[in-house]
Amino acid sequence: MAVFFNEPSRTFNEYLLVPGFSSGDCIPANVSLRTPLVRYRKGEEPELHLNIPMVSAIMQSVSGDKLAIALAKEGGVSFIYGSQSIEDEAAMVARVKNYKAGFVRSDSNIRPDATLADILELKERTGHSTVAVTDDGTPNGRLVGIVTGRDYRVSRMSPDTPVSSFMTPREKLITAPDTTSLKTANDIIWDNKLNSLPLVDKDDRLCYFVFRKDYDEHKLNPNELLDAEKRYIVGAGINTRDYKERIPALLEAGCDVLCIDSSEGFSEWQKRTLEWVRENYQDKVKIGAGNVVDAEGFNFLADCGADFVKVGIGGGSICITRETKGIGRGQASAVIDVCKARDEYFKRTGIYVPVCSDGGIVHDHHITLALAMGADFVMLGRYFARFDESPSAKVNINGSLMKEYWGEGSNRARNWQRYDLGGATKLSFEEGVDSYVPYAGKLEDNVQQTLAKVRSTMCNCGALTIQELQQKAKLTLVSSVSIVEGGAHDVMLKTVKDK
């Protein structure tokens, strides 16, 4: 006979947090949102963590390199979408890793006999205004000059003007040896009022650049998530089909953490993928798996070696899996069940496997509810799709600015690998829709406001860390009537004209 769950399948909207005692120290400024990203053993620290409990969904309309950079500045991680060619995904990862570092290998290089037209084409392609002029045009050639936007005026110069005639020549450049420390390099930049400092070896070959903007951005973004080389941390999505070719390319590009992108993770295909990773890379490669909605699914993936487990089937705003297939579970019920299994697994094995709540989050307070229910971090799609940094187009719909947002299971994305069950190599029917979401501006402004609400609610619960919130949280089910009571009611709201 089929297994029946006694409790209804519940969503985040059916719960409220009940306030706890707030001490004098319980103020938002004292709240830490640091949380583990990958598995670790009892008594040890995870090799990767998040400074904020937010990661972006593995979606074409969400996680490109621009959003990955913006989110890493805030302390979170993006998982670059995998429904593209291996080369294109690896290139996105590389752009994130090369965007910000203490020591940057130059990817904008040119020969002195090139022209202004070549400079403009290179700037268009790379987006960088600082161009190294080397004798052979390579990143490690002998440095002969530098070109920046201040060295030329397009309106007054011919496109065929040679670079050698307007570059800042080597003899006028301030450089430093390639053995210079980052602190010393930054001191040289400030003392000499430079925007960049080339580091060269004993043969005067270019090794690195150190940029003033990197120092400035670090001071402006105290939560930014960096690796040991001061580069932004970035993740990437993979599938269970071409992983043997895709994973090596992503690692070569510098990817820090992988995640299997699948609508359902309790499968032989994910087991094979995880076993291949462990056989070839042991624990050096960090990889999450999912999605699952119950304890059995969690234990399966944890035993297979997943570094974190994603929870949620059918709860995304553009997902119609429950509608088309009748499969899934309310996100709150799924998170509670899986996190209970996570804690039991930790007691039994001494290994903590973080849980990511993926889907079902509509309002900012749903993030706090997911954390209180046990999730270590949340994955968001619609939330991030609204921002300037997402890859989708901004459009005007009936006078309102919107951004396009489509599911990986939609006819537009046609990401059949995500829904693959070992059958035909095509998307047989849609499990996602093509839609619009209201344009919301910059990621930075919105994330900071969202997290201000999370920190405030945590203080109301008497918690200064996510772990403390999970220990102290008190949750109550709400009725349909109390949901109405929770919003503005029995008043006539003022319109803009009234104000």
Side-chain angles (χ1 to χ4, degrees):
M1 184 177 176
V3 173
F4 288 87
F5 289 82
N6 293 324
E7 284 294 316
S9 184
R10 299 193 182 279
T11 68
F12 292 132
N13 244 10
E14 295 179 77
Y15 287 91
L16 283 175
L17 283 158
V18 176
F21 173 72
S22 301
S23 69
D25 293 329
C26 228
I27 59 174
N30 291 339
V31 171
S32 169
L33 295 176
R34 184 182 172 99
T35 190
L37 176 59
V38 296
R39 67 162 56 202
Y40 62 93
R41 291 188 175 276
K42 187 175 183 179
E44 299 179 355
E45 285 291 315
E47 291 187 39
L48 291 174
H49 69 273
L50 298 164
N51 287 332
I52 63 171
M54 302 170 78
V55 301
S56 67
I58 311 168
M59 299 176 69
Q60 294 175 9
S61 54
V62 178
S63 294
D65 51 295
K66 290 182 180 178
L67 190 126
I69 291 166
L71 185 52
K73 287 180 182 179
E74 299 305 312
V77 166
S78 282
F79 286 88
I80 302 295
Y81 66 91
S83 52
Q84 58 180 322
S85 72
I86 294 173
E87 294 76 17
D88 287 347
E89 186 179 12
M92 279 193 176
V93 169
R95 285 197 289 274
V96 178
K97 298 305 291 186
N98 292 331
Y99 176 82
K100 166 100 170 48
F103 299 101
V104 181
R105 293 190 182 278
S106 177
D107 65 354
S108 293
N109 310 283
I110 208 161
R111 289 165 53 101
D113 58 357
T115 65
L116 174 60
D118 296 322
I119 287 285
L120 297 176
E121 187 277 329
L122 184 61
K123 182 180 178 182
E124 176 70 21
R125 178 157 44 88
T126 66
H128 299 153
S129 58
T130 299
V131 178
V133 186
T134 57
D135 61 345
D136 58 3
T138 67
N140 299 113
R142 187 172 57 83
L143 186 64
V144 296
I146 286 180
V147 173
T148 69
R150 295 176 298 181
D151 293 319
Y152 57 87
R153 294 184 69 179
V154 177
S155 60
R156 297 190 180 185
M157 292 170 62
S158 171
D160 60 2
T161 305
V163 169
S164 57
S165 68
F166 61 86
M167 69 182 187
T168 302
R170 173 68 179 88
E171 57 269 19
K172 292 186 178 181
L173 293 175
I174 296 174
T175 64
D178 60 339
T179 55
T180 304
S181 70
L182 184 59
K183 182 180 184 305
T184 301
N186 279 316
D187 288 342
I188 294 172
I189 286 173
W190 283 93
D191 291 344
N192 294 278
K193 300 180 180 180
L194 306 174
N195 286 324
S196 64
L197 176 70
L199 272 59
V200 296
D201 65 14
K202 58 183 178 57
D203 297 319
D204 214 31
R205 291 186 172 276
L206 179 63
C207 296
Y208 307 101
F209 273 105
V210 176
F211 290 95
R212 173 191 287 263
K213 70 177 180 64
D214 289 350
Y215 178 85
D216 291 342
E217 287 187 5
H218 176 66
K219 293 301 179 184
L220 290 172
N221 301 288
N223 278 330
E224 61 184 355
L225 202 59
L226 304 174
D227 64 17
E229 297 179 40
K230 306 294 184 183
R231 301 176 302 177
Y232 286 134
I233 286 177
V234 62
I238 63 167
N239 60 65
T240 57
R241 283 284 184 136
D242 65 8
Y243 58 90
K244 293 181 182 178
E245 295 77 38
R246 191 173 291 268
I247 290 176
L250 294 173
L251 297 177
E252 177 68 23
C255 185
D256 298 283
V257 57
L258 303 167
C259 184
I260 302 174
D261 181 26
S262 174
S263 64
E264 206 275 295
F266 195 179
S267 73
E268 176 72 19
W269 315 110
Q270 295 220 4
K271 180 181 180 182
R272 291 181 187 180
T273 304
L274 291 167
E275 285 177 344
W276 184 86
V277 169
R278 294 300 171 229
E279 181 181 341
N280 288 274
Y281 299 101
Q282 293 75 51
D283 292 330
K284 295 177 183 177
V285 169
K286 305 303 178 186
I287 178 170
N291 288 17
V292 298
V293 292
D294 64 5
E296 192 177 2
F298 171 85
N299 287 320
F300 171 79
L301 291 177
D303 287 339
C304 287
D307 283 295
F308 64 86
V309 173
K310 282 206 295 142
V311 177
I313 294 176
S317 58
I318 40 70
C319 183
I320 55 172
T321 293
R322 297 180 193 173
E323 198 175 304
T324 57
K325 295 171 65 175
I327 192 168
R329 195 177 188 187
Q331 191 65 12
S333 296
V335 168
I336 292 168
D337 195 1
V338 170
C339 289
K340 180 181 178 182
R342 185 264 326 274
D343 292 343
E344 291 172 351
Y345 189 87
F346 183 48
K347 289 179 182 177
R348 186 171 71 253
T349 67
I351 298 173
Y352 188 91
V353 181
V355 167
C356 169
S357 176
D358 176 19
I361 290 176
V362 179
H363 304 293
D364 289 344
H365 75 269
H366 289 170
I367 297 175
T368 320
L369 283 167
L371 298 174
M373 291 172 181
D376 296 280
F377 55 97
V378 298
M379 178 172 277
L380 304 161
R382 182 197 61 84
Y383 178 89
F384 288 117
R386 303 172 301 145
F387 304 148
D388 285 319
E389 295 86 354
S390 73
S392 63
K394 190 192 303 181
V395 293
N396 189 313
I397 305 294
N398 298 324
S400 297
L401 281 178
M402 312 287 281
K403 291 209 76 175
E404 294 181 304
Y405 180 46
W406 60 95
E408 291 295 294
S410 68
N411 195 47
R412 180 172 182 174
R414 302 200 67 79
N415 182 6
W416 63 268
Q417 293 95 333
R418 188 179 197 277
Y419 301 88
D420 182 32
L421 294 173
T425 57
K426 65 177 183 178
L427 192 69
S428 299
F429 54 88
E430 289 186 280
E431 293 190 46
V433 299
D434 198 342
S435 64
Y436 300 106
V437 288
Y439 167 65
K442 292 173 60 178
L443 178 146
E444 175 188 7
D445 297 336
N446 286 274
V447 166
Q448 289 185 6
Q449 184 179 66
T450 294
L451 294 180
K453 296 177 185 178
V454 172
R455 292 187 180 98
S456 180
T457 305
M458 288 174 62
C459 287
N460 291 144
C461 296
L464 292 176
T465 66
I466 292 173
Q467 186 179 31
E468 193 176 7
L469 174 67
Q470 292 165 352
Q471 294 168 348
K472 291 184 175 181
K474 295 181 289 184
L475 294 110
T476 181
L477 281 167
V478 295
S479 68
S480 58
V481 177
S482 63
I483 291 174
V484 173
E485 182 186 62
H489 60 92
D490 300 311
V491 294
M492 180 180 291
L493 295 177
K494 290 183 178 180
T495 64
V496 175
K497 193 173 181 180
D498 294 331
K499 296 175 183 177

